Amino acid sequence: MKLYQIKKDDLNNIKSLLREIKNTYQTSHPCTMKLIAFNIFNYHKEEKNVEISEAFMVTNLCSEGNLTTFIKKISEGKNSNKKQRKKEKNQKGLTADPTAFTIIVYGIARGLRYVHNLKIKHRDLKPDNIFIDHLLYPHIGDFGESKQHQQIT
């Protein structure tokens, strides 16, 4: 879940949030994050008014975290002894071998191709914005800086 702290007059953050919600919703692909739910309004029953203060987005769970933390876990695993690595493999049932990294790179390329076919430019693609699920599949997320371009005819 992503939580935004938004001030009433902060139009840039509101625009970024709405753009992220819209573009995450539009991208329905196995290699992009799925938008499950979002809320941008708080309703105050006593005062009978609506305001934007704490907005949130709920997306699919990627238990391995982002690509940056995943690479750190793998590099720490390579520095540990063989017994410890075998124990880690048995607990998760998965290892990050060259095939897993190939799947990750291929998944990122597939997801980006899909996003670009929708005329969306991510504009902030980095390891922190690529999330890894329990099967070691990548999911492109964080579309807050993205832009959708109209095709010129």
Side-chain angles (χ1 to χ4, degrees):
M1 183 166 80
K2 189 170 187 177
L3 183 66
Y4 290 85
Q5 294 284 340
I6 297 178
K7 295 177 182 164
K8 292 177 188 177
D9 300 330
D10 193 357
L11 290 178
N12 287 334
N13 274 342
I14 293 170
K15 283 181 183 179
S16 176
L17 169 65
L18 293 175
R19 185 172 44 241
E20 182 167 5
I21 289 169
K22 176 187 170 207
N23 289 337
T24 302
Y25 176 74
Q26 284 182 333
T27 57
S28 176
H29 189 271
C31 297
T32 60
M33 296 296 280
K34 310 283 180 289
L35 181 64
I36 297 169
F38 68 92
N39 184 30
I40 57 174
F41 301 111
N42 284 338
Y43 177 70
H44 300 287
K45 192 174 183 179
E46 300 83 29
E47 300 167 15
K48 294 187 179 180
N49 70 344
V50 177
E51 69 176 11
I52 297 175
S53 61
E54 272 193 4
F56 67 87
M57 281 179 54
V58 179
T59 58
N60 51 319
L61 175 67
C62 289
S63 59
E64 296 298 322
N66 63 32
L67 189 56
T68 302
T69 57
F70 180 72
I71 290 171
K72 283 180 185 174
K73 281 187 222 174
I74 298 306
S75 64
E76 288 170 2
K78 285 183 179 177
N79 294 333
S80 64
N81 61 32
K82 286 184 181 181
K83 273 187 177 180
Q84 191 175 7
R85 279 192 303 225
K86 189 174 180 181
K87 184 178 178 184
E88 288 171 3
K89 178 185 174 186
N90 290 340
Q91 286 176 348
K92 290 231 176 204
L94 300 169
T95 58
D97 56 3
T99 304
F101 282 111
T102 303
I103 290 170
I104 290 171
V105 171
Y106 180 72
I108 294 166
R110 276 187 57 209
L112 227 92
R113 180 179 177 197
Y114 175 78
V115 168
H116 287 171
N117 283 340
L118 293 175
K119 306 289 186 238
I120 297 172
K121 292 186 180 179
H122 191 281
R123 296 177 5 139
D124 194 25
L125 192 66
K126 57 188 177 186
D128 288 343
N129 294 335
I130 297 169
F131 302 91
I132 309 296
D133 69 11
H134 66 287
L135 296 173
L136 302 186
Y137 292 150
H139 301 274
I140 298 171
D142 195 358
F143 286 88
E145 297 296 319
S146 64
K147 293 249 179 175
Q148 188 161 17
H149 294 277
Q150 302 298 326
Q151 188 174 11
I152 299 171
T153 55

